[in-house]
Amino acid sequence: MENTPLTQDVELTVACYNDEGPPPPYHRKNSQPNPASPETLAIDMSGNTLVPPGESLTSPESPRRRHKSDGAIPAATLNSQPSGNNHLSPNQRKNSMFGSRSTISGIKFDDPYIDESGLTLMYSKHEKLPMKDFSMEVRATMDVQNFLKKTVLILDLNKVSLDEIIDEILHKLLDSSGSKHSFDQARSALFTHDCVHQLSRTLQCTSISEGGGFDYDQNWICALASIPSIQTRHVGIARLHHPANLGTASQEVYFVIVVLTPTKEKGTKNELETGRTFATIMSDPELRMKLLEVNTEPEFKEILEAHTNALAEKQKNWASEKAMFSAEHQEQSSFRCSLFRGIREDLRRRIPVYVSDFKDGVVGNKSIQKTISTTFFLYFACLMPSIAFGVLNANNTKGQLNVEKVLYSQTFGGLVFAFFGGTPHIVLLTTAPLALYTKIIYSICQDFDIDFPAMYACVGLWNSFFLFLYSAFDLSVLMKWSTRSSEEIFALFISIAFCVDAFKDAVSNFAAHYNIPACSMTTTANSAVNYSITSNLTNSVASVVNSTAPPSGCERDVSLLYLLLLLGTLWLGVTLYNFTMTPYLNAGKRELLADYSLPVAVVIMSFFGSYIFRDVQLDSSFTPRELSLEVFKVVPFHNLSVGAVFGAMGLGFCLSLLFFMDQNISAALVNAQQNKLKKGTAYHWDLLVCGVINAVLSLLAFPWVHAALPHSPLHVRALADVEERVDQGHIYQIIVRVRETRLTAIFSHILIGLSLLILNYLAYIPTPVLYGLFLYVGVTALYGNQLFERIMLLITEQSAYPPNHYIRRVPQRTIHLFTVLQMVQLLVLCAFGFTPYPYLKMFFPVLIFTLIPLRHKVIPRLIRQKFLKAIDGH
């Protein structure tokens, strides 16, 4: 019978540890060795006992061969054994080094396999096992039903020591039998040593990690043993109150499963098959997250039974799903552009799950909490950049594009995409590249005396036209050539752009308030004060205070407060974002603070800037205008000449490349394999919806919006449940599941629309807090960016390198060479993106597109393909 795996990249691994050393020398009846004997010896590997040919291990003349779990032989038994016994027990081997009594730090051990220095050999074996097929193997479901009837379940066990945990489970399992001998046997069989305890046989789940690495599920472990003194199987599950460190690959254990079976049990019911049943169930991270939240045993059993039934149904349809996937993959592998085929397939995937896109935001454990926290995160993460880019656009266009228009665009575009977009996690936003491109269009209009609103609208309509063509002819399939390298270069560029905007405004503030001629007199005044203090200590305090008063026009306190609020917003936000990695409070409160890190940082620092330091006159972030319906007017296209229309077509084509790359790269990062989204992609449909939105905005000369980095991946992260793992001292997190809901985008953009009614109050948010949010978004986007991680390796000591998959599979020089090549591409993007010459910025979208052919045509000439697959694979 074929065993069907649960998923494509998950498997079970059984580890066996054996402390039994080499077999003792074979002795004749006179106890003399016979090294030259030509006779062949039979070796019993389970007991490591040498048996002469022709003799049986179970002969009536000899006693029963002892099981490993029987433990040490009592002293009375040892004394009664004949001295001429050929089958020497470990406790009788006193003439060999294996029989010596070991002493370490004054503690004596009777372990026969430890020498006088405390050394022994440990034999380990790892073996892959198939997942249990609940749809085909009858015994799997029966094992679970038997466990549910004879529950041995311990919830919130407040133990962290392996010995204490196993003892507690064994007491629950075996105390009813009243046999102390069974407890001792089970304990001896489960552990390798009597002095240094390690589980001898365990089951864990492994998975293929990002990029082809190898990960253990450290959240649970299953210990196996068979003993002769019990008549039925026993299964015990303990959920620990705090995660325990049980050794290598088991450093964050919450669930401990113990399986005990009789020694003479049939194959389908032995300890390995029973353990494989429960290991298959526990391999699902979503199930483990649910089991961590239950409070009673009935709830635990109910979830376990429901998951077993769902797993059986899922595995029943696995063959057909696998065939469908193979056919779809084969169809996608052939590059064909056909009219509207991609849009039809996107709708076929997304329409059946449209209702669940709303339900998933409120159904499930912590879903409501995550929806509320993510709504506020998106509200602040979209509102603050909208205000900042609105101010930037107002400065670049002499007020023709302002904060109010940006907020109108954000509200309209966000709501339309949240309701009708294919991938609800994508966040639309006016971004820094769009602000740069708007400045280019305004400069061209000024140079050639063209009406800016009409030209702006015409460029936007051409852009939407090209986006319609891209989506209709399925050009998004070109993104299959886009690798992790291109995506992370662009994502890191966007993070740098956010940070550059923040620091440019800080430099401007210092230039206006700190480094001015009026402040140069302050140094002279301070020198006079120091002289007066050292020469005459009896001078009045008033004279000193008067002499330290800054000259009129010098406002260094403004710049210092600006720097304090800018860096304070960054520090507070990042500290709360990483609060889950601290030992403070409990896990639930740490997660709550991390979820609300951005809103809390903005509110607290705004309070400090506007109230605590109200005596310091900070500039307002913007000057609000009265809301008017006059902004909703279609632009006068008749003001454009024919030449201007065709010129707008060229600008629109370059702009469409920016939209195409940004939209698809954002979608690729959202749908990355490590995010574990389940409802399918919609690249073509998303591009079409984005084109429709921007066509409407162009008619009104409102700012354009497209998929934003890093907001879209951060949106996914905010809705995710994560699990911490430890590998060689390095702590990292993996996503267990993501709530695929539209509610967060809908609610947050409704709040942004309502914010138009309170613009007078939003103006009190200090400008440094706005740009502090830019730094926060730029810094938090670096988490998980492999390019940034490898840049850090250039200045990291080699012994501190994380055990990533590419560290194990790619030579160090090759890693650094690939990183340097990416840095060169990033520097070229930055040179064109931040150049002071507007016309050079027109080629920025083309440069982004050229990252793809560079990766596939140039870099393979410098780095071998197998290394590229390891270091640049999704």
Side-chain angles (χ1 to χ4, degrees):
M1 181 174 56
E2 180 180 355
N3 292 309
T4 306
L6 180 63
T7 62
Q8 286 187 308
D9 58 349
V10 176
E11 60 192 20
L12 295 179
T13 301
V14 58
C16 304
Y17 297 90
N18 194 341
D19 65 331
E20 297 181 358
Y26 180 74
H27 290 267
R28 295 177 179 268
K29 289 189 177 182
N30 57 4
S31 299
Q32 297 297 325
N34 184 15
S37 175
E39 295 179 325
T40 305
L41 300 179
I43 303 177
D44 171 38
M45 297 302 295
S46 61
N48 285 327
T49 305
L50 295 180
V51 186
E55 294 190 22
S56 172
L57 287 170
T58 57
S59 61
E61 293 81 5
S62 62
R64 177 184 67 87
R65 178 171 61 90
R66 295 182 57 78
H67 188 268
K68 176 192 175 205
S69 60
D70 290 340
I73 303 176
T77 306
L78 291 176
N79 294 335
S80 63
Q81 289 180 348
S83 59
N85 188 5
N86 289 337
H87 309 292
L88 295 179
S89 68
N91 300 68
Q92 289 177 298
R93 304 173 196 153
K94 297 302 180 182
N95 295 328
S96 68
M97 74 175 216
F98 300 102
S100 63
R101 181 182 289 266
S102 302
T103 303
I104 307 174
S105 301
I107 303 176
K108 296 183 178 180
F109 301 118
D110 286 326
D111 195 320
Y113 299 113
I114 299 181
D115 67 3
E116 296 179 356
S117 301
L119 302 178
T120 187
L121 298 180
M122 184 69 69
Y123 168 71
S124 64
K125 177 183 179 182
H126 293 265
E127 180 181 356
K128 289 192 286 189
L129 297 177
M131 308 289 280
K132 201 85 166 186
D133 190 346
F134 283 76
S135 63
M136 300 293 293
E137 301 184 50
V138 180
R139 176 57 57 187
T141 305
M142 295 176 63
D143 288 343
V144 177
Q145 294 296 333
N146 184 55
F147 171 77
L148 295 176
K149 293 177 182 178
K150 302 177 181 178
T151 304
V152 179
L153 179 63
I154 307 174
L155 298 182
D156 297 326
L157 179 61
N158 200 10
K159 306 287 186 182
V160 293
S161 168
L162 177 60
D163 290 39
E164 295 176 340
I165 295 170
I166 296 297
D167 286 352
E168 192 74 23
I169 299 175
L170 291 180
H171 281 302
K172 290 282 187 179
L173 287 173
L174 302 175
D175 278 0
S176 58
S177 64
S179 173
K180 180 68 167 58
H181 188 53
S182 297
F183 178 87
D184 293 337
Q185 281 189 343
R187 206 172 190 281
S188 179
L190 287 170
F191 290 111
T192 58
H193 279 235
D194 286 335
C195 49
V196 182
H197 283 172
Q198 183 178 10
L199 294 174
S200 59
R201 299 179 67 198
T202 60
L203 267 175
Q204 279 184 279
C205 183
T206 62
S207 59
I208 304 300
S209 64
E210 180 183 348
F214 186 79
D215 273 346
Y216 275 97
D217 272 355
Q218 302 187 24
N219 195 261
W220 63 277
I221 191 169
C222 179
L224 313 173
S226 63
I227 57 177
S229 61
I230 59 175
Q231 303 300 320
T232 60
R233 296 179 299 162
H234 297 277
V235 178
I237 300 179
R239 188 186 71 187
L240 308 183
H241 187 67
H242 300 289
N245 184 349
L246 304 185
T248 305
S250 306
Q251 299 173 359
E252 284 284 326
V253 175
Y254 270 103
F255 296 94
V256 178
I257 307 168
V258 174
V259 176
L260 300 177
T261 61
T263 304
K264 296 183 179 180
E265 187 64 90
K266 67 178 183 178
T268 58
K269 297 172 65 176
N270 63 19
E271 71 277 13
L272 185 59
E273 289 299 314
T274 306
R276 195 161 65 94
T277 298
F278 289 93
T280 301
I281 296 174
M282 296 301 292
S283 64
D284 188 347
E286 291 189 29
L287 171 69
R288 300 198 300 269
M289 295 294 291
K290 294 178 182 178
L291 296 180
L292 283 174
E293 301 298 329
V294 301
N295 298 317
T296 62
E297 289 189 9
E299 291 178 353
F300 193 100
K301 292 191 294 181
E302 181 181 352
I303 292 177
L304 200 64
E305 185 175 15
H307 178 77
T308 303
N309 297 333
L311 183 60
E313 186 66 25
K314 180 179 179 180
Q315 291 178 332
K316 184 178 181 181
N317 301 325
W318 172 255
S320 59
E321 291 178 4
K322 184 177 180 181
M324 185 185 305
F325 175 80
S326 300
E328 182 179 350
H329 181 71
Q330 184 177 3
E331 185 178 358
Q332 289 179 354
S333 62
S334 59
F335 175 73
R336 291 185 303 167
C337 291
S338 58
L339 192 62
F340 299 117
R341 183 172 65 93
I343 294 177
R344 291 195 304 268
E345 292 178 354
D346 290 344
L347 294 177
R348 178 175 56 83
R349 280 191 294 266
R350 296 302 307 191
I351 288 178
V353 297
Y354 186 77
V355 176
S356 68
D357 288 343
F358 294 90
K359 292 170 56 179
D360 289 351
V362 294
V363 176
N365 183 47
K366 292 185 179 180
S367 291
I368 295 179
Q369 172 189 326
K370 285 286 187 180
T371 299
I372 295 174
S373 63
T374 306
T375 296
F376 282 104
F377 164 76
L378 278 185
Y379 172 68
F380 284 97
C382 294
L383 177 67
M384 301 302 175
S386 296
I387 294 175
F389 287 126
V391 174
L392 181 61
N393 283 330
N395 295 333
N396 292 337
T397 63
K398 300 298 188 291
Q400 297 193 56
L401 297 180
N402 51 37
V403 173
E404 289 81 2
K405 288 187 177 182
V406 173
L407 292 181
Y408 281 129
S409 296
Q410 186 64 42
T411 303
F412 172 76
L415 284 176
V416 171
F417 197 86
F419 276 107
F420 301 107
T423 309
H425 293 105
I426 291 179
V427 179
L428 300 189
L429 197 67
T430 295
T431 60
L434 288 181
L436 296 175
Y437 213 82
T438 301
K439 185 176 181 180
I440 294 172
I441 297 174
Y442 186 81
S443 300
I444 293 175
C445 292
Q446 291 296 105
D447 293 341
F448 294 94
D449 194 21
I450 302 174
D451 182 61
F452 171 72
M455 185 67 174
Y456 181 85
C458 191
V459 172
L461 289 178
W462 278 115
N463 168 59
S464 296
F465 171 74
F466 287 116
L467 292 182
F468 294 156
L469 293 181
Y470 300 157
S471 59
F473 287 97
D474 304 341
L475 292 188
S476 289
V477 298
L478 291 173
M479 295 305 295
K480 74 176 184 178
W481 301 105
S482 177
T483 62
R484 187 188 188 106
S485 170
S486 306
E487 297 164 3
E488 291 192 338
I489 289 173
F490 184 69
L492 190 54
F493 169 80
I494 297 299
S495 296
I496 293 174
F498 274 106
C499 297
V500 167
D501 286 339
F503 287 119
K504 281 174 62 176
D505 197 74
V507 171
S508 300
N509 185 276
F510 270 73
H513 299 282
Y514 196 94
N515 298 320
I516 57 177
C519 292
S520 61
M521 299 172 59
T522 305
T523 304
T524 305
N526 289 336
S527 300
V529 171
N530 293 335
Y531 176 77
S532 63
I533 291 175
T534 55
S535 62
N536 188 2
L537 296 177
T538 60
N539 287 344
S540 63
V541 176
S543 64
V544 174
V545 173
N546 291 333
S547 65
T548 58
S552 176
C554 182
E555 297 175 330
R556 286 184 168 176
D557 54 341
V558 173
S559 297
L560 293 177
L561 180 59
Y562 187 103
L563 194 62
L564 173 66
L565 295 179
L566 178 73
L567 299 180
T569 304
L570 171 66
W571 172 81
L572 183 58
V574 173
T575 299
L576 294 178
Y577 182 81
N578 294 322
F579 206 74
T580 53
M581 300 182 183
T582 66
Y584 308 115
L585 304 178
N586 55 39
K589 293 177 181 177
R590 290 196 297 266
E591 184 178 3
L592 193 65
L593 284 174
D595 289 340
Y596 288 94
S597 58
L598 180 58
V600 169
V602 170
V603 171
I604 290 179
M605 300 312 293
S606 297
F607 175 75
F608 269 86
S610 301
Y611 184 77
I612 301 298
F613 294 99
R614 59 185 177 274
D615 294 334
V616 180
Q617 298 300 318
L618 286 173
D619 297 332
S620 298
S621 55
F622 67 98
T623 302
R625 300 179 181 179
E626 292 185 3
L627 300 181
S628 174
L629 295 178
E630 293 184 358
V631 297
F632 298 99
K633 288 184 178 181
V634 179
V635 298
F637 287 100
H638 61 272
N639 294 335
L640 290 179
S641 63
V642 176
V645 171
F646 282 100
M649 182 179 67
L651 291 173
F653 175 73
C654 291
L655 182 63
S656 68
L657 293 179
L658 175 63
F659 271 73
F660 179 81
M661 292 297 296
D662 209 332
Q663 186 76 31
N664 283 289
I665 287 177
S666 299
L669 292 176
V670 165
N671 291 288
Q673 183 179 1
Q674 61 268 23
N675 291 336
K676 300 180 181 177
L677 301 183
K678 299 179 179 179
K679 297 182 180 180
T681 61
Y683 289 94
H684 314 282
W685 177 253
D686 287 341
L687 200 60
L688 179 64
V689 173
C690 184
V692 172
I693 291 172
N694 284 279
V696 176
L697 295 177
S698 297
L699 291 174
L700 302 174
F702 280 5
W704 304 307
V705 293
H706 62 56
L709 291 174
H711 295 72
S712 300
L714 290 177
H715 186 198
V716 175
R717 185 77 177 189
L719 286 169
D721 290 328
V722 298
E723 189 175 274
E724 283 191 355
R725 292 184 179 176
V726 182
D727 191 0
Q728 299 182 18
H730 295 269
I731 301 175
Y732 62 100
Q733 294 179 333
I734 64 165
I735 291 179
V736 174
R737 74 181 182 104
V738 177
R739 295 160 183 84
E740 302 182 51
T741 178
R742 300 177 184 268
L743 295 181
T744 52
I746 293 172
F747 292 157
S748 60
H749 285 89
I750 289 176
L751 292 177
I752 292 174
L754 294 176
S755 299
L756 287 164
L757 304 176
I758 57 171
L759 286 179
N760 292 329
Y761 297 98
L762 292 178
Y764 285 104
I765 298 177
T767 303
V769 175
L770 293 179
Y771 286 102
L773 180 140
F774 275 37
L775 292 179
Y776 169 87
V777 171
V779 169
T780 53
L782 299 178
Y783 291 86
N785 190 305
Q786 193 182 101
L787 171 57
F788 179 76
E789 293 175 356
R790 284 187 276 106
I791 291 175
M792 290 296 101
L793 292 183
L794 297 174
I795 56 174
T796 301
E797 185 181 1
Q798 294 186 14
S799 60
Y801 279 16
N804 294 334
H805 63 279
Y806 55 84
I807 298 293
R808 296 189 177 104
R809 299 168 59 185
V810 183
Q812 181 178 323
R813 291 186 178 181
T814 304
I815 294 175
H816 294 332
L817 173 61
F818 185 72
T819 303
V820 170
L821 293 174
Q822 285 185 291
M823 291 173 64
V824 171
Q825 299 173 68
L826 178 63
L827 290 175
V828 173
L829 280 184
C830 292
F832 278 82
F834 304 133
T835 180
Y837 306 106
Y839 291 100
L840 283 179
K841 297 178 182 178
M842 293 176 56
F843 299 99
F844 177 75
V846 180
L847 285 176
I848 298 175
F849 197 81
T850 56
L851 294 177
I852 297 177
L854 278 175
R855 164 61 182 82
H856 290 281
K857 296 299 181 181
V858 178
I859 294 181
R861 297 178 181 271
L862 303 175
I863 300 176
R864 295 171 62 182
Q865 194 63 42
K866 71 172 185 177
F867 295 146
L868 287 175
K869 184 178 180 181
I871 201 172
D872 195 28
H874 279 288

